[in-house]
Amino acid sequence: MGRLLCASTLLLLSGTAVAKNLALGSPYTFSPLAQYEYTDDGQENVQLTDGEHTKWHFWTSKTSVGWVSAGTIQIEIDLQNRAEIEEVCVNTARGNNAEVSFAERVDVFVSEDKQSYAYAGDLLSGHDHSDGAYLVRKFCASLNNSGGRYVWLLIQPKGKFTFLDEIEVYGRTHTSSPPGAYPLRRDGVLALHESHVFDAQEARALQFEAARLQAMLNKVVDRSAESARAKAQVRDIISRLGDEKRNAASLSESEAGLFRAHHTALRARFINEPLLIWNNSNPWGTFTRFDSPTEGQLIRGPISLDLIGQGVTSAAFCLTNNSAGIQRLKISVASHGSNASKLPKVIVREAVRIVTSSGTVVADPLVPIDSREIQLVPGESRQIWLTAFAGDAGAGAYTANVTVEQAKEAGTTRIIPLNIKVWTVHMPKKPTVMSVNWSYLNSRSIAKMPKQAAADLRSHHTNVIVLHPSELPWPRFKDETSEKFTLDYRELDRVISLHSDADKFLLYMQFNNRRIRTFGNRYAFARDDWKRVFTDWVSQVAQHMQQKGISYERLAFYPVDEPRNDEESNCLIETASVIKRVNSELQIYTTLGGLANRDLLTAMTVVDTFQVLVQELNGPRVGILKEAKEQVWTYTAIGGGKS
């Protein structure tokens, strides 16, 4: 009777030995920190090679290691001896109901000395690693010419959450140097991985754009030969984009092919109109370079904007090149009429294409055009935004022209009338509404441009700033037994200085996480020694904030986010009670979460501000808060914004 052999019992072809899991018990380093609260137990530096597989759901088991919005995850295993590596395996899980995905790719590199490396391949290549219902899967791959002591995995997450529980490396140890070259330095490893990631994300983005173009072509009633040819071109491109052997050159050709197909379809529908200027019915929605109008969307008359005093409003229009050559366009706005000098300020911006981490495309950042040109290849579309600022302009009607002209060669100049009405109602120059979003300056997308991010928040009236737990000055104890500690305020001060004109700061402590609220499992929560240390910490932080000019009215401690059970509700109430005993003027903020009526009544004695989901505003718990004259803020949590 034969035996079924899986990856973990792979026999070497020589017949002289069985490939062993050389990673079992091996030390490794990893970054970034794995801080998903329900798997974070301080053992993340051993759990990936300890041989213990998770028996229950990955994101509720301490035997798993989890990352949240982590960027590239780097794990380097020291096999402690030279080895011939036959196979590498990663055990992971997915679950689309919890926003958990298999990785986008797992690039594997090997080295003898942690200085020079060889690329062994993408562990997920050829495997189905799509999203779907909960599934645990071990991905294994026989990799190229792999030998060395160190195995470096660069894991590119696909979604918000990534979970692993075991990494296995099968092969044989030996004393001689393994054959093969190691042409990459460490910085070259990162660069190669980034290029692979870029190509993969660009391929997914082109697939998204191609599918959208295909849907548009199928929707338009056009039985011409040009339309049929365009549809066939798009189908062929979609099939090629699914090939994992694609590279930057093939992606560039696919992109050019989509422009050609779009141009072919446009010529059949819009004859003798080299430049299409059209109205997108929902400028806030998805827009791609291959979007095109229906006949009814073409702009034939004026664009109208309505403003209130001190207010701001926007409108958008789209440009599509339906000519045979590249178009270089300049766009400007000029006022006219008897009150031209009082015209509300109008700026022109382009909505720039961005590829999201989920592989879709959005036209999102609004980049000022000023005097620069907009360049369109045949078949390409762009979205242009007009934003009007009323400022001190008086109530009344104003007129202007939007001019779209060829920048270099002679061509058609299009003028679109712009009608602006300013109403008699006025916004205050300084809004009195408190406006908050969880806009951490350590988020990967903006971490390198904090000044610009802070300015952008300010211009959009975000005046309540949430400080991330990593930006707070947690205690650094003098030794293992002492309750004395020091605080490093540098990160806190950096964020405060960037938001110096904010009306309020929320210090998010993330006490949902047991390790954080116990100062790294040093003190049992709510025990007397914990209370002494926590009281001292609160006093020092509050005093420091006052020294920085942040009064108690501009400061609130935020212990627990959306308490979900009795443990977290009790944690909120106990923490808030200690803070109030430090100084009753110190404020406490929380999101309502799952606070039951009994806990809510107790929380009302120590919490100053409750923020509730907008759909709960008419619910019974908010009714209790309103009746007690508690301060209630509201919020909504719509997915996809951080992708």
Side-chain angles (χ1 to χ4, degrees):
M1 183 175 178
R3 291 185 299 169
L4 180 64
L5 297 176
C6 65
S8 59
T9 57
L10 180 72
L11 290 178
L12 298 183
L13 295 178
S14 66
T16 59
V18 175
K20 297 179 181 179
N21 177 13
L22 305 175
L24 184 63
S26 294
Y28 58 87
T29 57
F30 69 96
S31 68
L33 294 176
Q35 291 184 319
Y36 181 69
E37 59 185 296
Y38 295 110
T39 61
D40 181 7
D41 62 354
Q43 300 299 308
E44 288 77 18
N45 61 333
V46 297
Q47 287 169 328
L48 294 177
T49 59
D50 63 1
E52 182 178 356
H53 285 78
T54 296
K55 298 180 177 61
W56 309 108
H57 264 63
F58 268 49
W59 40 96
T60 57
S61 300
K62 297 296 186 183
T63 53
S64 301
V65 181
W67 288 266
V68 185
S69 303
T72 301
I73 299 166
Q74 302 182 37
I75 303 169
E76 189 160 18
I77 302 172
D78 180 0
L79 301 178
Q80 299 179 291
N81 290 288
R82 293 183 176 128
E84 290 182 10
I85 299 169
E86 298 289 328
E87 190 174 46
V88 177
C89 299
V90 170
N91 206 46
T92 180
R94 75 174 189 201
N96 54 10
N97 63 326
E99 298 182 86
V100 181
S101 299
F102 292 140
E104 175 71 50
R105 62 185 299 118
V106 180
D107 284 321
V108 182
F109 299 83
V110 295
S111 173
E112 281 206 279
D113 55 9
K114 293 185 72 172
Q115 296 183 36
S116 300
Y117 291 81
Y119 178 52
D122 173 16
L123 194 150
L124 299 185
S125 180
H127 295 291
D128 178 9
H129 49 100
S130 58
D131 290 337
Y134 183 75
L135 177 67
V136 176
R137 185 169 178 185
K138 180 189 288 188
F139 291 98
C140 297
S142 299
L143 301 172
N144 305 325
N145 189 29
S146 300
R149 171 175 172 173
Y150 301 94
V151 179
W152 192 7
L153 283 71
L154 273 67
I155 301 170
Q156 186 63 31
K158 187 192 304 177
K160 182 177 181 180
F161 299 98
T162 303
F163 291 91
L164 308 175
D165 78 336
E166 282 299 305
I167 299 173
E168 299 162 338
V169 179
Y170 291 95
R172 292 176 298 175
T173 59
H174 55 69
T175 56
S176 61
S177 297
Y182 301 88
L184 298 169
R185 306 295 290 176
R186 285 188 73 89
D187 56 354
V189 168
L190 296 172
L192 181 60
H193 171 73
E194 288 175 4
S195 71
H196 288 324
V197 170
F198 177 84
D199 288 348
Q201 290 180 335
E202 189 63 25
R204 291 173 64 197
L206 284 173
Q207 286 174 314
F208 173 82
E209 291 176 306
R212 186 174 170 88
L213 175 57
Q214 185 179 55
M216 183 274 293
L217 294 175
N218 291 335
K219 187 176 180 180
V220 174
V221 179
D222 183 356
R223 295 182 175 84
S224 66
E226 290 87 351
S227 178
R229 186 162 61 251
K231 291 178 182 179
Q233 288 173 329
V234 174
R235 282 196 302 270
D236 178 61
I237 291 168
I238 289 175
S239 66
R240 282 189 276 122
L241 286 170
D243 183 0
E244 289 192 348
K245 295 181 180 178
R246 59 188 175 247
N247 54 33
S250 65
L251 291 175
S252 180
E253 174 52 36
S254 294
E255 179 185 65
L258 289 175
F259 283 128
R260 289 193 295 268
H262 188 209
H263 186 226
T264 298
L266 285 169
R267 283 184 315 193
R269 294 165 49 217
F270 300 100
I271 302 171
N272 298 324
E273 289 201 61
L275 178 63
L276 305 176
I277 302 179
W278 51 284
N279 174 45
N280 185 359
S281 58
N282 178 19
W284 302 95
T286 300
F287 179 85
T288 77
R289 301 168 295 170
F290 307 101
D291 283 13
S292 57
T294 63
E295 178 66 36
Q297 288 177 290
L298 295 180
I299 294 177
R300 306 295 189 189
I303 294 174
S304 297
L305 296 172
D306 279 71
L307 285 159
I308 61 175
Q310 298 294 336
V312 182
T313 194
S314 295
F317 64 89
C318 305
L319 303 172
T320 301
N321 183 358
N322 191 33
S323 73
I326 293 173
Q327 292 184 340
R328 297 172 178 85
L329 306 173
K330 282 193 172 183
I331 305 166
S332 58
V333 176
S335 58
H336 59 81
S338 59
N339 59 356
S341 62
K342 300 178 181 178
L343 180 79
K345 180 182 178 182
V346 180
I347 62 172
V348 184
R349 294 179 287 179
E350 176 190 359
V352 175
R353 174 185 184 262
I354 290 293
V355 177
T356 71
S357 62
S358 58
T360 59
V361 172
V362 293
D364 185 65
L366 296 176
V367 178
I369 292 175
D370 299 325
S371 60
R372 69 182 174 89
E373 301 172 3
I374 298 292
Q375 181 171 296
L376 302 176
V377 301
E380 183 175 9
S381 298
R382 298 282 185 91
Q383 190 179 82
I384 307 300
W385 280 64
L386 303 172
T387 301
F389 301 81
D392 294 323
Y398 301 84
T399 56
N401 285 332
V402 179
T403 301
V404 181
E405 61 181 335
Q406 296 286 349
K408 302 265 189 215
E409 61 283 344
T412 304
T413 296
R414 294 281 300 274
I415 295 177
I416 308 168
L418 182 61
N419 297 333
I420 303 174
K421 182 173 182 179
V422 179
W423 294 77
T424 54
V425 175
H426 281 73
M427 287 283 288
K429 286 190 176 182
K430 180 174 174 56
T432 54
V433 170
M434 305 297 274
S435 176
V436 58
N437 59 59
W438 282 252
S439 49
Y440 305 126
L441 294 183
N442 60 6
S443 296
R444 285 184 295 113
S445 54
I446 60 173
K448 295 181 180 179
M449 52 177 102
K451 291 183 180 179
Q452 294 93 322
D456 188 64
L457 290 165
R458 193 177 306 115
S459 70
H460 288 83
H461 308 296
T462 297
N463 57 2
V464 179
I465 302 302
V466 183
L467 280 93
H468 190 270
S470 66
E471 296 164 342
L472 300 185
W474 295 110
R476 295 181 176 181
F477 294 94
K478 293 183 180 297
D479 55 54
E480 292 186 1
T481 59
S482 174
E483 293 181 6
K484 294 183 179 180
F485 56 83
T486 59
L487 300 180
D488 185 346
Y489 293 105
R490 285 176 294 181
E491 188 64 13
L492 174 68
D493 292 348
R494 182 183 75 91
V495 177
I496 291 173
S497 67
L498 288 164
H499 298 295
S500 58
D501 55 352
D503 291 327
K504 203 173 193 70
F505 292 91
L506 307 181
L507 306 187
Y508 178 34
M509 298 151 59
Q510 202 182 357
F511 273 15
N512 309 63
N513 187 313
R514 288 190 185 92
R515 289 188 69 213
I516 295 178
R517 69 173 178 255
T518 58
F519 303 118
N521 296 324
R522 186 183 180 96
Y523 300 105
F525 178 72
R527 201 170 61 188
D528 286 346
D529 51 0
W530 178 89
K531 289 180 181 179
R532 288 193 299 270
V533 170
F534 183 62
T535 295
D536 193 11
W537 181 79
V538 170
S539 299
Q540 291 191 44
V541 171
Q543 183 180 9
H544 181 82
M545 294 293 278
Q546 283 200 311
Q547 291 170 351
K548 289 292 178 179
I550 310 299
S551 65
Y552 287 167
E553 291 75 19
R554 296 176 62 198
L555 172 66
F557 288 86
Y558 175 7
V560 174
D561 181 60
E562 295 182 343
R564 287 159 288 191
N565 48 47
D566 288 346
E567 179 186 358
E568 293 184 357
S569 297
N570 292 335
C571 174
L572 166 67
I573 293 167
E574 180 65 40
T575 303
S577 300
V578 174
I579 294 172
K580 286 294 186 181
R581 286 197 290 271
V582 172
N583 190 319
S584 61
E585 294 183 20
L586 290 173
Q587 297 181 42
I588 312 295
Y589 161 98
T590 191
T591 42
L592 188 60
L595 282 172
N597 286 349
R598 175 181 56 82
D599 293 328
L600 180 60
L601 292 173
T602 306
M604 286 164 54
T605 65
V606 287
V607 174
D608 300 278
T609 302
F610 295 87
Q611 189 154 358
V612 306
L613 287 167
V614 66
Q615 60 264 34
E616 296 187 59
L617 278 177
N618 294 320
R621 292 186 299 168
V622 176
I624 294 171
L625 293 171
K626 288 180 178 178
E627 187 174 347
K629 309 295 184 186
E630 295 287 343
Q631 185 165 181
V632 177
W633 297 0
T634 187
Y635 70 116
T636 186
I638 300 172
K642 291 185 178 180
S643 68

